Amino acid sequence: DGDAASGDGIGLSTTVAGASVKLTLGETTDSTSAMSIAASMDFMGATIKAGNTDFDTTGTDDQGFVSVGYSVSGFNLGWNHYDMGDDSVTQIGASTSVGGLGVGISSADFEDANDQDHDAMGIHITGDLGGAWWAVDYINEDDGAGTETDSYALVIGTGF
């Protein structure tokens, strides 16, 4: 409307060739625009999602993602790649149930434009406490400079 950046946006949602597609156009506080598009579809048992955001400025890299998830007989696989222009993150994970517990593994690789790559892997175990749940996580991280750290977490939660 020409008076000031409102932050308000407009969106469109439709289905094209079996894919759910959403498109948004918005304005940031510094009067630049950002247009995003994302799509999701199931293909041969896999769920595929992809999206991109185009910032209308030369100082901000466009950002996008692609992810694929697949489940068969209680075994789940997932892969995700997130691109931030000069930097990117790739993740992969798998999970299943064993003896009533949820068990999963994950791995992530962060590629930094400044050659400060980070890698991490995790082992995750979850359980049900009736109206509550618990999770134990082990994470091993390599900061790319020769330093590895191990961390453990116990989380207990509930929902309504």
Side-chain angles (χ1 to χ4, degrees):
D1 57 10
D3 56 355
S6 64
D8 294 334
I10 187 168
L12 172 69
S13 178
T14 189
T15 301
V16 177
S20 297
V21 179
K22 294 185 181 188
L23 173 72
T24 61
L25 179 63
E27 185 176 36
T28 63
T29 56
D30 63 356
S31 296
T32 59
S33 64
M35 182 173 64
S36 298
I37 187 167
S40 173
M41 72 181 301
D42 292 330
F43 181 73
M44 298 179 62
T47 299
I48 303 167
K49 298 180 180 186
N52 190 66
T53 298
D54 181 5
F55 296 98
D56 186 26
T57 178
T58 57
T60 304
D61 291 326
D62 295 345
Q63 300 179 7
F65 73 93
V66 176
S67 65
V68 179
Y70 185 77
S71 295
V72 61
S73 299
F75 185 74
N76 310 297
L77 292 172
W79 175 86
N80 181 61
H81 180 75
Y82 183 64
D83 184 359
M84 301 161 285
D86 292 335
D87 302 331
S88 66
V89 177
T90 303
Q91 300 166 303
I92 190 167
S95 66
T96 192
S97 293
V98 176
L101 298 175
V103 179
I105 58 171
S106 62
S107 175
D109 179 38
F110 174 68
E111 297 291 330
D112 185 291
N114 300 320
D115 294 328
Q116 295 188 9
D117 299 341
H118 297 266
D119 298 315
M121 66 81 63
I123 299 171
H124 320 282
I125 301 172
T126 61
D128 186 5
L129 298 171
W133 54 269
W134 59 269
V136 174
D137 291 322
Y138 162 73
I139 306 291
N140 173 270
E141 182 180 356
D142 179 351
D143 70 359
T147 303
E148 281 193 45
T149 56
D150 294 318
S151 60
Y152 303 86
L154 170 63
V155 179
I156 299 174
T158 187
F160 297 95

